[in-house]
Amino acid sequence: MQALSHERTLPNPFGWLKGPEGLAGRLALSWSIAGGLSMVAMLVLAAFLSGSPESAYVPFTVSVYFLVGAAGGFIHGALVGAAGRPPSVSISAAVRGLEAAGLWAIPGLAAAWVAGLWVSMTGMAASEAAPPLIATIVGGWLILAVAAGWALAEAAEGLRYAMQRWPERRPGRVLVLLTFATLLIVFLWQRPEIWFTDLRVSAVGAIILAFGATVWIALPVLVLALHFLHQWSAESPVWEGPHALQGEDAVG
């Protein structure tokens, strides 16, 4: 009976990704898959802009882009997930979700990498127009769209909780918006180059990069900077201290 009871209480990695306790893990996993595929899509866009769309299908380059996007997505998703866990979820429960996400990332990213290779063949499909190849490419883009939609849905929930948990959210929101506006103006004025190419992004690409840089780079920096500034000048009326988390905005 004791052995049977023990078996019933064994951890369930799949269960750790369900419900509120699994939000952190789902964020890390979805952002990792979507991040890897998005980097491949950017590579394909660069190839089309260069006038040689078939050049995107270089498995080594595709794999490097995919791994960079997947690793960056997992790290940022994990940070947002831990900070944006629901009020009833402890940090230890969020970590268990991240551990489960790490396990599921192995088969998930392997499948997404294959889909990324399909996406990278978009230029080949445009020139050859072979039905089986076109069907493969469409399948890769559909997987990318589903992954992006999943990541955005999880991000909306996680960021909402993260903003509630952020004591310095009052000045932080203003600074985040100002940062995004500044990056947007700079990127539209001087279009950034796509890595390892001589190509510059389009206006739409500049908007996406400005948003990504704000969320992935500027936001974590602002959170840390405002936290230390708050500790140094906690008596300033500009700041909302720990008491602001009490009442309806209180989180665990």
Side-chain angles (χ1 to χ4, degrees):
M1 292 294 294
Q2 292 181 350
L4 181 60
S5 175
H6 177 69
E7 291 178 359
R8 289 177 178 174
T9 59
L10 287 176
N12 180 5
F14 181 75
W16 286 347
L17 291 179
K18 294 181 178 180
E21 293 186 351
L23 177 60
R26 295 196 305 272
L27 263 167
L29 183 59
S30 62
W31 281 27
S32 181
I33 293 174
L37 289 173
S38 297
M39 287 292 289
V40 176
M42 186 177 72
L43 179 63
V44 172
L45 176 61
F48 270 91
L49 291 175
S50 68
S52 56
E54 296 182 4
S55 64
Y57 184 63
V58 180
F60 176 77
T61 304
V62 171
S63 299
V64 170
Y65 268 67
F66 180 83
L67 289 175
V68 170
F74 192 94
I75 293 172
H76 284 84
L79 292 174
V80 172
R85 64 189 187 279
S88 60
V89 178
S90 64
I91 186 64
S92 60
V95 170
R96 285 197 298 269
L98 294 175
E99 292 172 351
L103 293 175
W104 284 103
I106 298 173
L109 289 176
W113 172 72
V114 174
L117 290 176
W118 295 348
V119 170
S120 70
M121 294 189 293
T122 301
M124 298 172 57
S127 60
E128 297 182 11
L133 182 58
I134 292 176
T136 300
I137 304 311
V138 170
W141 282 100
L142 285 177
I143 292 174
L144 190 156
V146 171
W150 179 30
L152 288 174
E154 301 293 354
E157 186 176 4
L159 289 173
R160 178 169 63 87
Y161 285 122
M163 292 302 292
Q164 291 178 0
R165 192 182 295 273
W166 190 14
E168 297 84 18
R169 61 187 177 276
R170 183 179 172 186
R173 288 168 178 165
V174 176
L175 290 176
V176 169
L177 290 176
L178 288 176
T179 300
F180 173 69
T182 302
L183 290 175
L184 182 60
I185 293 172
V186 171
F187 286 178
L188 288 174
W189 177 55
Q190 184 67 31
R191 306 284 174 81
E193 289 186 354
I194 298 176
W195 296 344
F196 311 120
T197 72
D198 294 327
L199 302 173
R200 296 189 180 275
V201 299
S202 63
V204 175
I207 296 173
I208 295 174
L209 284 179
F211 178 79
T214 301
V215 175
W216 282 31
I217 301 175
L219 182 57
V221 172
L222 285 172
V223 169
L224 291 176
L226 289 175
H227 172 72
F228 287 115
L229 181 60
H230 190 179
Q231 296 298 315
W232 175 69
S233 181
E235 298 300 324
S236 172
V238 173
W239 305 101
E240 291 181 334
H243 64 276
L245 294 180
Q246 297 176 359
E248 61 181 10
D249 285 342
V251 291

